[in-house]
Amino acid sequence: MSVGLPVLILLTSLLVAFVTFFLPQDRHQVRNALNLGGAVLKLGLVGFMLSEVAQGSIYETRMQFAPGLFLLLRVDALSLLFVSLSAFLWLLTTIYAIAYLRGKPHLSRFFGFFSLCVAATTGIAFSGSLISFLIFFELLTLSTWPLVVHKQDKKSIAAGRSYLAYALPASTVLLIAIVWLESAVGPIEFVNPGDLRQLSDTSLRVIFVLFIVGLGVKAALVPLHGWLPAAMAAPAPVSALLHAVAVVKAGAFGVMRIVLDVFGLDRMAELGLALPLAALASFTILWGSARALNQVEIKKRLAFSTVSQVSYIVLGIALASPFAVIGGLVHLVHQGLMKITLFFCAGIYDERASIRRIEQLDGIGPHMPWTSLCFSLGAIGMVGLPPTAGFVTKIYLGIGAVQAEAFWVLAVLAASTLLNAAYFLPLVYRIWFLEPGQAIVEGPAPTERPTGLIAPAVVTAFAFVAAGLLAASDFSPLAWATLIAERGYLP
Amino acid sequence: MRASLAISALVAVPLLSALLAAVWSQRGAMCATGGLLGVMLALMVLLLPDTGRGMTSLAVGEWQPPLGIMLRADGLALAFLVMSACVMAAVLFSARRVPADPGQTGEGRRQWAFWPLALLLWSALNVVFLSRDLFNLYVALEMLSLSAVALVALDGKAEAVAAALRYLMFAMMGSLAYLLGAALLYSAHGTLDLALLADLRLGELGLAEQGSGTGSVGGTRHDGLREGGAVNVLAAGLMTAGLAVKTALFPFHAWLPPAHAGAPAPASAMLSALVPKASFVILMRLWFEALPGLASAALLASLGTLGTAAVLYGSLMALQQVRLKLVIAYSTIAQIGYLFLVFPLAGGDTFTQPWAAGAWTGAMFQALSHGLAKAAMFLCAGVWIIAAGHDRLDGMRGLVAETPMTVFAFALAAVSIVGLPPSGGFTAKYLMLTAAFASGQIVWAAALLLGGLLSAAYLYRPIALAFARRDEADFAPVPRVLQVAPLLLATAAILLGLVSQPPFSLLQIGLPASAVEGLE
């Protein structure tokens, strides 16, 4: 059982994907049952695994390809941080997508690639070696493209082109880094990365930079972030997937693996790479926020906010002090929960009230109370106000910065918080305190039905508030991040 | 006994069914199916573990070399035999279902000539993979080229005939050069058997003459051989040039695009996926098995350079084409370029790292996965030609709604051609890249990586166009069965990477020592 479980979890999404591809468009019941069933099953299995790994189990499955090429699935605590997030959000996004896309064409294609994306994400989380990671990373790139161009209009096709134009050169760079490293050290497993000393310090530095560039496109590090705002042309569930569940997170998770497992915090510091990485992350945080400020479309503003927020993860890892690492790890979950709530709500606004631009939000609160409540909570969380999960992240990063004696980071955090407030709070103000515009008053009353549309947003909003309020409990994401850090990465 | 019977069957069955199909022209498809079944049975016998798999040899007519001809099913041969059987199965299946196109001039000819030619080509192909004799290889190669030329001209359109003639010219030049080289070798050494030539250790003599040899030259050799050094190099050079022309290595590629784009789609699939592989396999046999050590660093580097040039030229040309079949054809030129990187990568220095010595195997993976993926692509093009009536890229808009399975198949094939994981193309690229990095030959690594990016660029265009929306779609319906064959082939190309262990260990059977130790 312990050998087969990772494969089984992978198959829950993979098999669903393959079966869905061959379902005719009008078999709604079968398709929905299949996708929801797969998601529920997966969540159950992941839950079981969480309890096992918490007690110290490790799962490992190995599949041999050619020499040097093998698929290694190895589940440790860090894998589970990512997998539980994506399994939980897959279920919610599936519910949301079923409601959102009701009556739209090409649904089998959509849900097929959607499940394939989640399978790739699971594979990324489970990967125990660099090559396994690359395989799933590429699978993710390819299976996301049909989702980005799903609407098949000019804008979507252009977004898809831009996505690939960023992602494929990046994966080439990643491949160079992997092959360079492995041709000197041998196949690299995360649990035992071999003796990197066989390479000179300069080579190692170059390889590290190649890794960051290769992963940085997906993690949307400036200046490699250009594809992300463009990809907003995709349907809302896809944006949710890109921003919270899969793509951006895969990049950030990759940075974690490279820094924590392949290089290690100590070697990164020895090579003098920690400070540049922290600086890059800080720059991305500020740049993303600054660009978000002058966006007039809601989804575009959210996209630039993602650029900024994901770099908190990278920043935490780069600072390398205990609290900072924990803060970075836990933000993977926190940001996912908050950002997906915002995108769910943005999708509902767009779909039910045709609200796409910020000034259209005026006074929508009382008309769409649930959506507006969740949206506002998400905004507050992004700013980092208590009692939300965003607050926990920022406190940990702040203490971590002090521990690492990088006091300039405090200034970055403060500036970023102010910027976050500047571009999120006016939205909240507009929603609740301004008089509604003509379109809302005179038009038909916007609904938040069906339940499948609004329920996922309510659940995720509840989740990140709970993650903030109950951060000190044994079952919070914070507790798990602390466990990860204490088990492997901290002295 | 069973094994040697199977080897004879691999040659004889397609040949007999070709003859049958020529005589019994109404039932060509049936003869082809029979041939397919026979070959598959023979392959199964050879692949069974208890038949001493791999190194079964057969001396034709029980005449031992140097008098007779050896056929040997080593790992290399078996891998290519299986790959071409897969491609042929898909091609024969597709060709059977292509609906008749009234008013086309070549229709009648196509009916009766396609099957014998395809089967003849297959038989020749199998001989090339199995044969251990340079003259026997020449005969097979000629048979292969002639049937390929005839397949190009099958439609009878003016441009197809012109393309076929051009192909014929190039093929003849190539054959002449090869034959001349073989004749020189025979006059010098009295044998054309690969194993006997290898026993002569011609390479060490060549090195001794240059005065830079590290290998010891035994005093037991007689002087006549010693003088043969220059002849050896000349002969090998001529044969290599001839084979390079037939493989369409840049700059001898001019015949390929019009020929491959002009033939009917199932024929193009065979021509592009299989025919260049035959001459490439002979090149590998020549350098890595018969004449290892004869290669100089300059020769290895120049073959690598031509390969790189082919990658760049083929990709850039593919980017500019407006017809899908031409895109695919130029892509073949680029992909063949990768194959020639094996010479500097596997032929160069010996490696200190055991996992880095995979360049030879990597090149074989490249040849195999390209065969599967490229055949899938041409069959996809065939499907779209039925749907849209032509293969211009701008007419492909909206095809995803009409033929989703074919678009998916094309995309899967593209994954392998670009070399993205997990696919046969990726395994190939990884093995070759590791070899390049481990031996410090970064230039060839750059060619591999740049080629991958360029191929992504030119293959992106058809896929993105197929995905673009078109409201007034007026495509002709395509039978669903026709769409299955390319999907299966493309899946096979992916599987070659996903389950690469069996093909990898197959290729290690009879692996020439020089593939691991280098040629120099």
Side-chain angles (χ1 to χ4, degrees):
Chain A
M1 187 63 193
S2 78
V3 172
L5 197 55
V7 180
L8 196 62
I9 291 182
L10 205 56
L11 285 181
T12 51
S13 316
L14 209 55
L15 286 183
V16 166
F18 283 118
V19 177
T20 308
F21 279 130
F22 292 98
L23 285 177
Q25 162 75 9
D26 51 3
R27 302 293 296 275
H28 297 290
Q29 304 281 339
V30 180
R31 188 171 50 233
N32 294 349
L34 190 68
N35 279 272
L36 288 173
V40 169
L41 179 65
K42 181 174 189 176
L43 197 58
L45 290 173
V46 169
F48 171 73
M49 211 178 212
L50 265 172
S51 72
E52 292 287 302
V53 169
Q55 288 159 21
S57 310
I58 294 285
Y59 295 87
E60 197 172 289
T61 309
R62 196 181 288 264
M63 201 173 122
Q64 188 67 38
F65 294 167
L69 282 173
F70 51 86
L71 197 66
L72 175 65
L73 300 179
R74 189 173 184 284
V75 184
D76 56 11
L78 181 56
S79 321
L80 274 179
L81 183 79
F82 190 20
V83 164
S84 9
L85 174 77
S86 76
F88 177 56
L89 295 186
W90 181 36
L91 177 60
L92 292 174
T93 315
T94 306
I95 297 172
Y96 180 80
I98 288 171
Y100 186 91
L101 293 170
R102 183 174 289 176
K104 302 235 168 76
H106 308 306
L107 288 185
S108 289
R109 186 176 82 207
F110 180 88
F111 281 101
F113 281 111
F114 198 83
S115 304
L116 203 56
C117 260
V118 176
T121 311
T122 312
I124 287 173
F126 283 176
S127 292
S129 68
L130 276 178
I131 280 296
S132 319
F133 181 85
L134 180 76
I135 290 173
F136 288 111
F137 201 70
E138 286 313 299
L139 181 63
L140 180 64
T141 309
L142 298 176
S143 54
T144 320
W145 183 79
L147 295 175
V148 174
V149 302
H150 183 72
K151 288 185 191 160
Q152 293 178 253
D153 52 6
K154 268 213 172 97
K155 218 171 153 190
S156 310
I157 299 270
R161 175 200 290 266
S162 141
Y163 176 55
L164 286 187
Y166 275 93
L168 287 180
S171 61
T172 306
V173 172
L174 190 61
L175 181 64
I176 297 174
I178 293 177
V179 170
W180 190 349
L181 200 58
E182 294 200 341
S183 65
V185 185
I188 288 188
E189 296 179 24
F190 293 140
V191 69
N192 177 21
D195 185 13
L196 300 195
R197 298 236 157 267
Q198 296 183 21
L199 283 158
S200 71
D201 281 2
T202 318
S203 304
L204 280 177
R205 283 194 192 101
V206 176
I207 291 174
F208 187 83
V209 171
L210 291 175
F211 269 121
I212 295 300
V213 170
L215 297 163
V217 163
K218 281 216 173 57
L221 292 172
V222 172
L224 307 170
H225 66 287
W227 61 273
L228 187 59
M232 289 298 92
V238 177
S239 307
L241 183 86
L242 291 176
H243 284 257
V245 187
V247 177
V248 176
K249 284 300 155 60
F253 183 79
V255 174
M256 284 182 185
R257 281 290 190 206
I258 297 303
V259 171
L260 296 174
D261 285 327
V262 175
F263 279 77
L265 290 173
D266 294 338
R267 178 162 295 123
M268 183 177 69
E270 275 170 36
L271 294 171
L273 295 163
L275 185 64
L277 185 60
L280 177 68
S282 304
F283 182 72
T284 306
I285 290 173
L286 295 177
W287 175 266
S289 298
R291 286 297 307 275
L293 206 52
N294 55 22
Q295 302 299 320
V296 291
E297 279 178 52
I298 301 173
K299 282 178 90 179
K300 279 264 167 77
R301 189 170 281 200
L302 294 181
F304 276 106
S305 154
T306 302
V307 172
S308 159
Q309 290 280 335
V310 169
S311 277
Y312 281 128
I313 303 173
V314 179
L315 178 64
I317 305 294
L319 286 176
S321 67
F323 271 76
V325 171
I326 295 172
L329 289 172
V330 78
H331 199 55
L332 188 85
V333 176
H334 288 167
Q335 190 269 349
L337 292 172
M338 297 189 291
K339 190 44 71 64
I340 206 165
T341 312
L342 289 169
F343 271 109
F344 282 158
C345 294
I348 301 175
Y349 281 140
D350 181 3
E351 195 62 18
R352 290 288 179 262
S354 304
I355 293 175
R356 292 189 190 91
R357 299 163 65 82
I358 283 159
E359 72 264 16
Q360 294 170 319
L361 280 173
D362 293 358
I364 191 70
H367 298 273
M368 301 175 80
W370 287 101
T371 314
S372 302
L373 184 64
C374 296
F375 191 87
S376 307
L377 279 175
I380 289 169
M382 279 294 174
V383 180
L385 297 178
T388 61
F391 176 66
V392 179
T393 306
K394 283 206 173 147
I395 282 289
Y396 266 71
L397 284 180
I399 300 175
V402 175
Q403 278 183 332
E405 296 182 353
F407 296 103
W408 57 274
V409 172
L410 292 177
V412 172
L413 288 175
S416 155
T417 305
L418 284 178
L419 283 168
N420 290 346
Y423 66 79
F424 269 130
L425 295 186
L427 271 63
V428 179
Y429 179 73
R430 277 174 186 274
I431 288 174
W432 297 106
F433 298 106
L434 284 186
E435 286 303 308
Q438 267 193 332
I440 292 172
V441 177
E442 290 168 8
T447 72
E448 301 175 295
R449 298 272 147 201
T451 319
L453 211 51
I454 185 66
V458 174
V459 173
T460 49
F462 177 78
F464 70 75
V465 173
L469 282 175
L470 306 175
S473 84
D474 285 346
F475 302 100
S476 68
L478 183 68
W480 192 260
T482 313
L483 178 129
I484 296 171
E486 281 171 353
R487 268 198 191 163
Y489 306 120
L490 295 177
Chain B
M1 184 58 210
R2 258 195 310 169
S4 38
L5 199 65
I7 291 185
S8 344
L10 284 174
V11 180
V13 166
L15 196 60
L16 283 178
S17 19
L19 292 177
L20 259 182
V23 179
W24 197 10
S25 59
Q26 300 304 310
R27 290 278 178 276
M30 217 175 74
C31 301
T33 314
L36 182 67
L37 289 177
V39 169
M40 279 162 78
L41 196 69
L43 279 176
M44 254 189 278
V45 169
L46 283 176
L47 286 169
L48 281 179
D50 61 330
T51 350
R53 99 181 206 192
M55 295 297 274
T56 11
S57 308
L58 169 70
V60 177
E62 305 207 349
W63 290 94
Q64 295 298 325
L67 282 179
I69 294 166
M70 277 303 261
L71 296 180
R72 194 180 81 174
D74 54 3
L76 175 62
L78 275 176
F80 277 87
L81 285 166
V82 172
M83 187 271 283
S84 43
C86 291
V87 170
M88 289 305 289
V91 163
L92 296 182
F93 188 72
S94 298
R96 205 169 62 150
R97 302 292 178 134
V98 170
D101 183 5
Q104 201 166 349
T105 49
E107 191 49 41
R109 190 182 307 118
R110 201 157 152 180
Q111 289 292 334
W112 62 261
F114 177 79
W115 299 108
L117 286 173
L119 290 163
L120 193 64
L121 184 138
W122 194 8
S123 173
L125 206 57
N126 287 355
V127 177
V128 169
F129 295 146
L130 289 166
S131 177
R132 309 284 303 162
D133 179 278
L134 289 176
F135 185 73
N136 187 231
L137 283 169
Y138 165 76
V139 175
L141 203 58
E142 280 300 85
M143 205 161 95
L144 185 73
S145 296
L146 289 178
S147 40
V149 168
L151 277 172
V152 171
L154 204 59
D155 264 346
K157 291 182 208 143
E159 65 262 43
V161 173
L165 270 179
R166 195 202 294 215
Y167 184 7
L168 187 66
M169 285 306 178
F170 272 92
M172 286 298 132
M173 302 286 277
S175 302
L176 274 180
Y178 177 87
L179 188 61
L180 197 55
L184 282 173
L185 271 188
Y186 188 70
S187 66
H189 307 296
T191 182
L192 286 170
D193 184 77
L194 290 177
L196 293 180
L197 280 172
D199 287 343
L200 291 174
R201 296 179 173 275
L202 301 176
E204 288 175 15
L205 282 167
L207 282 181
E209 266 193 336
Q210 291 163 19
S212 65
T214 48
S216 62
V217 182
T220 51
R221 272 176 237 293
H222 58 82
D223 294 337
L225 275 182
R226 207 170 285 249
E227 284 156 18
V231 176
N232 293 337
V233 174
L234 180 64
L238 277 169
M239 292 169 84
T240 305
L243 291 168
V245 171
K246 295 217 173 206
T247 320
L249 174 65
F250 179 88
F252 311 116
H253 62 277
W255 58 270
L256 187 144
H260 288 188
S268 307
M270 284 186 278
L271 294 177
S272 219
L274 304 177
V275 175
K277 304 295 156 33
S279 38
F280 178 70
V281 165
I282 301 179
L283 262 178
M284 298 301 282
R285 297 248 189 249
L286 184 66
W287 284 107
F288 284 87
E289 290 178 32
L291 310 169
L294 198 63
S296 59
L299 177 94
L300 294 177
S302 49
L303 281 175
T305 310
L306 288 182
T308 307
V311 170
L312 297 179
Y313 173 84
S315 305
L316 291 175
M317 288 302 285
L319 265 176
Q320 294 163 25
Q321 301 307 313
V322 293
R323 283 182 50 208
L324 180 64
K325 282 179 86 176
L326 278 172
V327 173
I328 309 176
Y330 275 106
S331 155
T332 297
I333 293 177
Q335 294 282 313
I336 285 170
Y338 285 141
L339 297 178
F340 281 83
L341 295 181
V342 73
F343 289 100
L345 287 180
D349 298 322
T350 53
F351 302 111
T352 49
Q353 316 272 24
W355 60 85
W360 186 88
T361 316
M364 293 307 127
F365 262 95
Q366 165 66 16
L368 295 170
S369 61
H370 172 251
L372 295 168
K374 193 47 65 80
M377 282 188 168
F378 268 116
L379 292 182
C380 287
V383 167
W384 288 329
I385 287 175
I386 293 174
H390 58 83
D391 70 335
R392 288 190 303 278
L393 284 177
D394 56 11
M396 289 182 61
R397 230 169 260 281
L399 271 170
V400 72
E402 190 66 31
T403 57
M405 218 197 280
T406 306
V407 176
F408 193 59
F410 192 87
L412 278 186
V415 165
S416 183
I417 296 279
V418 177
L420 294 173
S423 66
F426 172 73
T427 309
K429 193 187 254 185
Y430 180 84
L431 290 171
M432 294 177 86
L433 266 183
T434 315
F437 270 96
S439 58
Q441 306 183 73
I442 308 293
V443 188
W444 312 125
L448 282 166
L449 294 165
L450 197 61
L453 280 180
L454 285 170
S455 59
Y458 64 71
L459 291 173
Y460 171 79
R461 283 195 313 156
I463 298 175
L465 275 170
F467 257 89
R469 181 146 56 187
R470 181 159 83 173
D471 295 328
E472 18 44 278
D474 50 351
F475 297 117
V478 186
R480 214 176 159 83
V481 282
L482 262 186
Q483 300 191 37
V484 174
L487 184 61
L488 289 180
L489 274 182
T491 311
I494 299 287
L495 282 180
L496 194 58
L498 214 50
V499 278
S500 49
Q501 187 58 40
F504 188 92
S505 34
L506 184 63
L507 282 170
Q508 305 311 304
I509 299 172
L511 176 79
S514 52
V516 181
E517 291 159 7
L519 288 177
E520 285 180 61

